[in-house]
Amino acid sequence: MAVSGLVFLGYLVLHMYGNLKVFAGHDSFNEYAHHLRVFGEPMLPENGLLWIVRVLLIVALVTHVYAAVVLTARARNARTSKYVVKKNLASSLSSRTMRWGGLTILVFAIWHLLHFTVGKVNPNPDGTGTADPYNLLVESFELWWMSIIYLLAMFALGMHLHHGTWSAMQTLGLTGTARARARAKTAGWVVAIVIAGGFALVPLSVLTGIVSK
Amino acid sequence: MAFLDGTTQVTKPPVQVSDDARGYYTLGEPLVDPVAPTGPIKDRWTNRKFENRLVNPANRRKMSIIIVGTGLAGGAAAATLGEAGYHVKSFCYQDSPRRAHSIAAQGGINAAKNYKEDGDSTHRLFYDTVKGGDYRARESNVYRLAEVSANIIDQCVAQGVPFAREYGGLLDNRSFGGVQVSRTFYARGQTGQQLLIGAYQAMERQVAAGTVEQFTRHEMLELVLVDGKARGIVARDLVTGKVETHLADAVVLASGGYGNVFFLSTNAMGSNVTATWRAHRKGAYMANPCYTQIHPTCIPVSGDHQSKLTLMSESLRNDGRIWVPKKVEDCDKDPRDIPEEDRDYYLERIYPAFGNLVPRDIASRAAKYMCDEGRGVGPAVKEVDKDGNEVMVRRGVYLDFADAIGRLGEDAVREKYDNLFDMYERITGENPYQVPMRIYPAVHYVMGGLWVDYHLQSNIPGLFVAGEANFSDHGANRLGASALMQGLADGYFVLPNTIRDYLADAPFEKIDDSHPEVQAARQDVEGRIAKFLSINGTRSADSYHKALGNIMWEYCGMERTEAGLRKAIDMIRELKADFWTNLKVLGTADSLNQSLEKAGRVADFIELGELMCIDALNRRESCGGHFRAESQTEDGEALRQDEEFAYVAAWEWGGEGGQPVLHKEDLIYTAIEMKQRSYK
Amino acid sequence: MNLTLKIWRQPDTSAPGAMHTYQVEGISPDMSFLEMLDTLNEQLNEKGEEPVAFDSDCREGICGMCGMMINGQAHGPEVTTTCQLHMRSFKDGDTITVEPWRADAFPVVKDLVVDRGAFDRIIQSGGFISANTGSAPEANSVPAPRDKAMRAFNVATCIGCGACVAACPNGSASLFVGAKITHLGELPQGQPERDSRVVGMVGQHDHEGFGGCTNIGECTAACPKEIPLDVISQLNKDLRTAMKHGH
């Protein structure tokens, strides 16, 4: 769980870095998008790096989901008779919503891939097609409901990362002292805010007109 | 007369002249420990270990031993005998062996390691223990206890008991209970817990190894004797209600003390006398049952609902000053409003040399006298006075830290007593940094128990008794931090080395459940259970227990008198008759039924209570935890009568409705001189 | 104080249970929670109803025998054991819901009594240091660094009550296992069996049907001895080390 989660985390950092290129303008962003495909050439074939990353992500996904299913099943079986009254004292909302939050993110990821990668749909009726990544992005987020979907998803991601980061450090045995524990909790906040916030900046900037065609 | 070790006998055998308990008992044959060692005291245990016969390792697994109780003595014995390869069956009434009440001991465990190089030695620990016990213990047993004390610490450290350590990583010691050397090993205020967990883990390891079989939520209800030998027990599975017989080659009782005869005590709710009392009824002698230790610093009773009492470490008396108001009318005032001149620091007044640090029994009695005078503080609690009237009495005295806080500062006091103050506040709802604490004595430990010889074997062959359940090592009073030492000494080091001498003749004749004596024991138990459920009266077992406790506390508590004890015996007999005709137990025998468990325990406590009163009545002297008002100095201090009572009173069951039979075992000291204590 | 109690009653492990409502009157704020239940039981006994079964023994917060879910919190609203919870933590007229620990690894025996034998079996599978009686070296021959000994002690205060399992949304006993792993692993005497201990105990924990830990932290908040969450981290670390060593 922890290791596959950290793979995702690493990927998200790279992904977010790419997204933020949007602030560098149309050409810079598109060049980056193109560069991803030819990265490592001629050592790697075209799209080679992307496929390596994709395979890695799929392995991580299978592992992550498998672990989640096993853990959920164990938890279910560990308490088949529920409490009539049960209070939560110390747990964060994020820790209690990991399963539903994870599922939400999975559904979003599929939608997101359909939108930008596999399906390449430009939902904007005034759109200019899907060939230009920068324009596709901006035109998509100019639609308020698209931005809302992405912002909600980033909220779910932030929550998942908030608990996930700390939890991964705990699972890896890196939080053996009270100080290390406090640091890991802080790391959870930092990762959640930086990554979810970093991603959210793009639709927000489009909506507010900071980024435009 | 010269002894082998060159010392001379300094005591004469006692001759009892007074006979307060005439009419309540019959006198039996004098008793002698048949395996008492001789020779120089320091060699006795070493020689005995050599003399005791061995059991071939290959034969051990064919031999089975039942151990009742999983506290320090029982748990340690189960682990050690399991390691040796015997087949051990361990029983406890709790849901896990780790719950045994040894866990609640706070202060520490004594051992003659002399790590502080402050003059401690085996001989000094031996001397302190005999003296502390007011010369009513067997010297050979006590010497052995002191001798093995050092091994206990080694063993516990090897098991991973996290004792307090100094900066260099070596073990720390403190001085405890008024002794002048630092020989107490401790794990903050939870030493008992840590030692018990150590023994428990060692025992669980043997469960995994297959040598120990563990029976939790099982209560022993009868001892099985076959041809005069202890061969098993009848136990009830408390969950299913099933009455089971378990047979073995030897039976060890390590079932703890009977302080709950007083209803309110610092013992656990389930602590009971049933295992030892059932053995007593089968012929095992009960020795010195009247020796009870009352601890002066407990949290007072707050009302009728009280189910148990909580002890607070005696160390509080180092800095707290004990007082009551001089005037009765001040007793319900806020103590902070009572001016200095209206306060009576009675311990400092009566015992100027020792002040608030007088021994436990003196501090306890003094508090009782103050409250009897009507100068107690705190909530008034309903009591029945000597004339049978219901009265409201305040049972508490102040333990005031205002001076200490003024002198050392609140932070310093907090550092020393933080956890105790928190515990006090949790229970009483009062903040002891601002309002003086209220304390009152409570029953804490019993020195009496089943009579055993030097091998910890009772007068029934094959029945061994260890820990608080036996009478052997503390005499009339136990020193602080010595209970843990004795429990572990018995369990780890003594019993395994003595029981082998008995088992060298085993395996004994093969018996099974169909043996008539086994059947009879089982039927007795079933009959009793059916009886409890069929009386169908109006009172709960708990209400009888409370009534018994009141009688015991009033007449057989901190101060005992001839007239009071006679009265108590009558009252207990009446209570017993009422119990067997008016008890109400609901539920069934074939399920978890806590009322039924309680009824059986209370029935045995009632019978024990009567014997305690008879023992107290017979012993017309004051020694250790036993204070007879008729035997005190002009200053009101305990006065021993060595020429009459330097003996162990071992009582034989006289049959239902019959009189108990008193067997006296004279206490002869060769290595130590008897002295009268003084604290003025 | 007068109170309404809603208590889980269940005749035995296999029978179905249900919440029952009782009224108790004349409760003193100085009573402990268990003494309040004693009072209820006396009243039930008088009325001819079978008393509520619940576990308790030392009643001073150290044996770990007592434990129940009080208004949805393990051991109730204070950080302590049920026996040390006092009625002054409640108000006159309150309704209090009382349930047993709920975990399939802790089957209900009757009413509020559960079977925690799984904890004993976890200890049997490695929660000890193998040191036969008599084989121990002189106690001071192996110094133990003071800070490590202190940490060992702090986590050895676990009373095995099961509140961690009861409070955990996953029904995991990782705090209990972690406390023992950390206690013995911090001491020099505990090193030789460190790998086999963690592997054995974790294996038994899973075998008993406890849930897996997702680091939520309800356990440590419910723990009457305030065992910190870092023992679970230690457990994971030791497990990883053991796997590296080929276990």
Side-chain angles (χ1 to χ4, degrees):
Chain A
M1 199 70 160
V3 174
S4 53
L6 289 179
V7 170
F8 285 130
L9 188 61
Y11 171 74
L12 285 175
V13 171
L14 293 176
H15 187 342
M16 182 187 71
Y17 169 77
N19 285 14
L20 293 178
K21 281 269 179 194
V22 89
F23 292 103
H26 176 272
D27 296 347
S28 176
F29 182 80
N30 281 357
E31 193 195 334
Y32 171 79
H34 173 72
H35 194 76
L36 281 181
R37 284 165 207 287
V38 298
F39 192 94
E41 275 188 13
M43 294 283 284
L44 291 170
E46 188 177 335
N47 282 345
L49 177 75
L50 277 186
W51 276 109
I52 290 171
V53 171
R54 278 171 192 159
V55 167
L56 198 63
L57 284 176
I58 288 167
V59 171
L61 181 71
V62 170
T63 315
H64 209 69
V65 170
Y66 173 76
V69 168
V70 168
L71 274 172
T72 309
R74 277 184 66 190
R76 289 251 160 93
N77 295 332
R79 183 172 294 130
T80 50
S81 156
K82 300 279 171 244
Y83 285 110
V84 176
V85 181
K86 173 74 168 74
K87 281 186 190 144
N88 293 306
L89 298 176
S91 53
S92 56
L93 182 66
S94 58
S95 71
R96 293 197 302 272
T97 51
M98 288 302 273
R99 281 165 198 151
W100 285 110
L103 207 60
T104 309
I105 293 166
L106 183 64
V107 170
F108 165 76
I110 293 167
W111 148 258
H112 173 62
L113 289 175
L114 287 173
H115 179 198
F116 278 120
T117 313
V118 187
K120 286 222 179 174
V121 185
N122 189 339
N124 197 329
D126 307 327
T128 55
T130 58
D132 183 319
Y134 181 86
N135 288 351
L136 176 62
L137 182 143
V138 175
E139 284 164 12
S140 295
F141 289 136
E142 276 172 349
L143 296 175
W144 64 269
W145 55 271
M146 278 298 289
S147 287
I148 295 289
I149 289 175
Y150 272 85
L151 287 175
L152 284 176
M154 287 312 107
F155 180 71
L157 179 67
M159 297 268 284
H160 205 77
L161 289 175
H162 169 240
H163 180 71
T165 305
W166 131 259
S167 184
M169 294 173 85
Q170 172 89 352
T171 302
L172 294 175
L174 305 174
T175 47
T177 63
R179 262 182 66 196
R181 198 162 71 238
R183 269 206 304 269
K185 292 248 177 195
T186 314
W189 279 110
V190 170
V191 168
I193 291 170
V194 168
I195 293 190
F199 277 115
L201 272 182
V202 178
L204 282 175
S205 307
V206 174
L207 274 186
T208 51
I210 297 172
V211 170
S212 59
K213 278 198 274 179
Chain B
M1 163 180 179
F3 276 70
L4 290 174
D5 59 350
T7 59
T8 42
Q9 181 181 344
V10 291
T11 56
K12 288 193 290 271
V15 181
Q16 186 175 345
V17 181
S18 57
D19 196 11
D20 286 0
R22 67 192 165 279
Y24 289 102
Y25 76 104
T26 47
L27 189 62
E29 291 293 306
L31 184 61
V32 182
D33 176 354
V35 291
T38 50
I41 196 157
K42 62 179 182 10
D43 299 332
R44 288 178 189 173
W45 178 233
T46 309
N47 291 341
R48 181 52 52 89
K49 281 192 286 187
F50 176 74
E51 291 155 12
N52 279 350
R53 292 172 294 165
L54 300 170
V55 177
N56 182 328
N59 286 340
R60 291 181 199 159
R61 71 193 130 81
K62 295 180 209 148
M63 297 176 192
S64 53
I65 303 168
I66 284 172
I67 302 179
V68 180
T70 59
L72 291 183
T80 307
L81 292 169
E83 287 159 9
Y86 297 102
H87 176 212
V88 176
K89 286 173 137 187
S90 155
F91 292 81
C92 65
Y93 70 80
Q94 299 94 337
D95 73 329
S96 164
R98 66 179 294 156
R99 314 272 184 228
H101 200 56
S102 305
I103 206 163
Q106 298 171 355
I109 176 166
N110 288 331
K113 280 282 197 189
N114 194 28
Y115 282 160
K116 295 281 178 183
E117 194 58 30
D118 56 0
D120 198 12
S121 63
T122 300
H123 200 87
R124 189 174 299 279
L125 177 54
F126 156 67
Y127 174 82
D128 286 348
T129 307
V130 173
K131 178 172 173 245
D134 240 354
Y135 305 93
R136 290 294 175 265
R138 264 193 218 133
E139 63 175 8
S140 299
N141 290 51
V142 178
Y143 195 90
R144 174 178 65 191
L145 175 66
E147 198 178 329
V148 303
S149 66
N151 304 72
I152 296 173
I153 302 303
D154 298 343
Q155 182 60 30
C156 294
V157 166
Q159 286 170 347
V161 170
F163 283 120
R165 287 179 184 267
E166 292 172 341
Y167 284 99
L170 301 177
L171 293 158
D172 193 17
N173 294 118
R174 62 184 175 196
S175 103
F176 196 81
V179 290
Q180 288 159 309
V181 291
S182 292
R183 61 160 77 103
T184 304
F185 294 78
Y186 64 101
R188 214 169 299 164
Q190 281 141 275
T191 319
Q193 180 197 25
Q194 295 310 320
L195 296 174
L196 182 70
I197 297 294
Y200 158 73
Q201 288 170 185
M203 175 178 151
E204 293 303 296
R205 175 176 159 242
Q206 291 314 118
V207 173
T211 57
V212 175
E213 243 184 299
Q214 173 176 307
F215 296 85
T216 59
R217 291 198 199 268
H218 274 67
E219 183 165 23
M220 168 183 163
L221 295 176
E222 196 55 89
L223 177 70
V224 175
L225 293 185
V226 175
D227 299 332
K229 283 196 187 99
R231 291 301 305 274
I233 63 168
V234 180
R236 181 167 175 268
D237 178 332
L238 300 180
V239 175
T240 63
K242 198 164 162 263
V243 174
E244 304 167 351
T245 47
H246 295 270
L247 303 172
D249 292 302
V251 175
V252 178
L253 300 185
S255 51
Y258 49 77
N260 269 351
V261 69
F262 291 88
F263 183 70
L264 288 180
S265 79
T266 65
N267 283 6
M269 299 304 287
S271 300
N272 68 80
V273 75
T274 292
T276 48
W277 191 255
R278 293 283 118 194
H280 173 62
R281 287 179 56 116
K282 288 269 178 160
Y285 297 166
M286 179 65 85
N288 301 329
C290 77
Y291 289 163
T292 31
Q293 185 172 76
I294 291 171
H295 198 287
T297 51
C298 297
I299 300 177
V301 174
S302 65
D304 279 348
H305 56 265
Q306 193 97 23
S307 59
K308 82 149 271 157
L309 296 170
T310 304
L311 180 144
M312 286 189 302
S313 169
E314 222 166 359
S315 60
L316 288 171
R317 287 200 281 148
N318 291 336
D319 285 304
R321 294 181 73 196
I322 296 175
W323 63 277
V324 291
K326 282 185 180 161
K327 294 180 263 180
V328 175
E329 59 270 25
D330 281 351
C331 288
D332 50 4
K333 275 193 191 159
D334 185 328
R336 290 167 293 186
D337 297 339
I338 302 173
E340 202 60 32
E341 63 271 20
D342 288 338
R343 300 177 175 192
D344 179 9
Y345 295 91
Y346 57 88
L347 288 177
E348 297 169 27
R349 172 170 60 81
I350 306 170
Y351 306 98
F354 277 75
N356 295 300
L357 293 173
V358 290
R360 289 177 176 181
D361 56 320
I362 295 180
S364 298
R365 270 198 311 281
K368 172 182 159 55
Y369 296 149
M370 295 302 134
C371 297
D372 286 349
E373 281 177 28
R375 293 198 283 142
V377 296
V381 184
K382 195 160 64 187
E383 271 182 22
V384 180
D385 72 4
K386 293 214 164 37
D387 306 318
N389 304 316
E390 271 196 7
V391 287
M392 299 299 282
V393 188
R394 292 171 205 282
R395 290 283 172 201
V397 298
Y398 289 125
L399 176 62
D400 199 334
F401 286 85
D403 277 6
I405 291 171
R407 180 163 39 93
L408 308 165
E410 187 171 321
D411 286 344
V413 172
R414 194 180 295 278
E415 197 168 299
K416 270 184 166 168
Y417 303 116
D418 191 25
N419 58 337
L420 295 169
F421 277 38
D422 285 353
M423 181 169 81
Y424 180 85
E425 186 169 2
R426 180 167 295 290
I427 292 172
T428 63
E430 290 173 2
N431 179 351
Y433 292 102
Q434 284 154 17
V435 189
M437 276 187 183
R438 288 174 292 110
I439 54 163
Y440 200 67
V443 175
H444 168 55
Y445 186 88
V446 294
M447 283 69 69
L450 289 182
W451 183 89
V452 289
D453 61 20
Y454 188 66
H455 287 183
L456 303 184
Q457 185 169 220
S458 71
N459 57 307
I460 296 177
L463 179 69
F464 292 79
V465 191
E468 192 180 350
N470 75 30
F471 88 106
S472 68
D473 295 348
H474 304 296
N477 185 36
R478 179 180 62 75
L479 288 182
S482 281
L484 301 180
M485 171 174 69
Q486 186 223 339
L488 289 180
D490 285 2
Y492 283 133
F493 298 105
V494 179
L495 191 73
N497 275 307
T498 58
I499 203 168
R500 61 178 154 88
D501 192 57
Y502 178 77
L503 289 173
D505 292 326
F508 300 110
E509 176 204 354
K510 240 188 144 34
I511 51 168
D512 60 25
D513 285 0
S514 62
H515 192 284
E517 294 195 70
V518 181
Q519 286 286 327
R522 189 199 172 94
Q523 279 156 13
D524 279 355
V525 169
E526 286 166 346
R528 238 163 95 86
I529 290 171
K531 174 76 179 161
F532 290 134
L533 286 164
S534 66
I535 298 172
N536 209 6
T538 58
R539 284 179 70 179
S540 68
D542 223 34
S543 79
Y544 284 104
H545 194 184
K546 270 188 195 178
L548 174 69
N550 285 339
I551 299 169
M552 295 303 292
W553 187 232
E554 181 65 36
Y555 302 105
C556 198
M558 282 179 271
E559 184 185 274
R560 297 143 178 198
T561 64
E562 184 182 346
L565 289 164
R566 284 176 189 279
K567 187 169 174 180
I569 294 168
D570 289 344
M571 290 170 80
I572 293 171
R573 287 176 178 173
E574 269 174 47
L575 190 73
K576 182 176 173 181
D578 192 62
F579 176 88
W580 287 102
T581 50
N582 199 20
L583 175 72
K584 181 180 187 179
V585 179
L586 296 167
T588 59
D590 58 359
S591 66
L592 179 72
N593 187 339
Q594 293 170 326
S595 312
L596 180 63
E597 294 165 23
K598 180 93 207 212
R601 294 170 192 166
V602 173
D604 293 334
F605 275 134
I606 292 175
E607 293 180 358
L608 166 75
E610 183 180 330
L611 183 66
M612 286 172 71
C613 291
I614 293 172
D615 185 41
L617 184 59
N618 172 61
R619 190 170 285 277
R620 193 188 174 89
E621 68 160 345
S622 300
C623 57
H626 170 64
F627 186 82
R628 275 289 296 269
E630 295 89 346
S631 182
Q632 51 183 310
T633 64
E634 280 176 17
D635 306 319
E637 278 195 56
L639 185 62
R640 279 199 333 261
Q641 310 288 350
D642 293 336
E643 55 302 333
E644 281 194 79
F645 291 104
Y647 67 76
V648 173
W651 298 89
E652 183 184 350
W653 173 246
E656 201 71 60
Q659 289 180 340
V661 182
L662 172 61
H663 300 273
K664 298 178 185 176
E665 182 199 337
D666 292 341
L667 290 167
I668 308 292
Y669 291 96
T670 61
I672 210 165
E673 189 189 345
M674 290 171 110
K675 284 181 185 156
Q676 194 78 241
R677 67 175 190 176
S678 171
Y679 289 95
K680 282 244 163 148
Chain C
M1 285 162 80
N2 300 329
L3 301 164
T4 304
L5 299 171
K6 291 186 174 168
I7 301 180
W8 181 263
R9 302 297 307 261
Q10 181 175 338
D12 58 58
T13 307
S14 50
M19 300 299 285
H20 286 241
T21 305
Y22 303 95
Q23 305 292 331
V24 280
E25 287 161 16
I27 297 302
S28 151
D30 288 331
M31 281 182 185
S32 70
F33 195 84
L34 298 181
E35 285 167 349
M36 184 275 292
L37 289 180
D38 289 342
T39 310
L40 170 72
N41 278 347
E42 272 294 308
Q43 289 174 9
L44 290 178
N45 198 62
E46 270 167 35
K47 282 195 281 186
E49 277 183 65
E50 205 181 325
V52 179
F54 62 89
D55 266 332
S56 81
D57 206 29
C58 78
R59 293 208 179 181
E60 48 188 276
I62 193 78
C63 77
M65 186 113 168
C66 67
M68 51 191 82
M69 214 65 178
I70 300 168
N71 283 342
Q73 287 179 244
H75 292 303
E78 313 274 340
V79 180
T80 187
T81 54
T82 306
C83 64
Q84 292 296 292
L85 173 67
H86 283 70
M87 295 312 292
R88 66 181 77 89
S89 299
F90 299 89
K91 293 193 304 291
D92 186 31
D94 275 359
T95 297
I96 306 174
T97 309
V98 189
E99 297 176 75
W101 289 165
R102 291 194 194 277
D104 289 42
F106 288 167
V108 173
V109 172
K110 183 175 185 175
D111 296 343
L112 304 172
V113 176
V114 298
D115 176 2
R116 286 166 291 199
F119 273 9
D120 285 342
R121 292 187 291 274
I122 290 177
I123 297 295
Q124 286 159 21
S125 58
F128 48 74
I129 291 171
S130 300
N132 281 3
T133 303
S135 63
E138 150 59 40
N140 260 349
S141 60
V142 186
R146 192 165 180 268
D147 52 343
K148 289 192 163 229
M150 296 253 284
R151 182 171 188 227
F153 171 81
N154 284 335
V155 299
T157 56
C158 167
I159 57 175
C161 65
C164 47
V165 175
C168 175
N170 297 315
S172 172
S174 292
L175 196 72
F176 170 79
V177 179
K180 188 50 64 194
I181 295 291
T182 309
H183 161 205
L184 299 177
E186 283 290 337
L187 297 170
Q189 292 81 5
Q191 300 315 310
E193 292 166 294
R194 195 160 172 178
D195 289 348
S196 59
R197 178 181 308 121
V198 68
V199 170
M201 290 181 79
V202 169
Q204 188 66 29
H205 169 275
D206 295 355
H207 177 72
E208 293 288 345
F210 291 106
C213 177
T214 58
N215 305 310
I216 292 176
E218 286 291 335
C219 53
T220 186
C223 177
K225 298 296 158 186
E226 301 176 71
I227 306 285
L229 219 46
D230 54 47
V231 299
I232 298 180
S233 181
Q234 186 73 56
L235 165 83
N236 290 325
K237 191 174 178 183
D238 282 18
L239 189 60
R240 209 180 55 203
T241 310
M243 283 156 75
K244 249 191 247 164
H245 293 168
H247 278 274

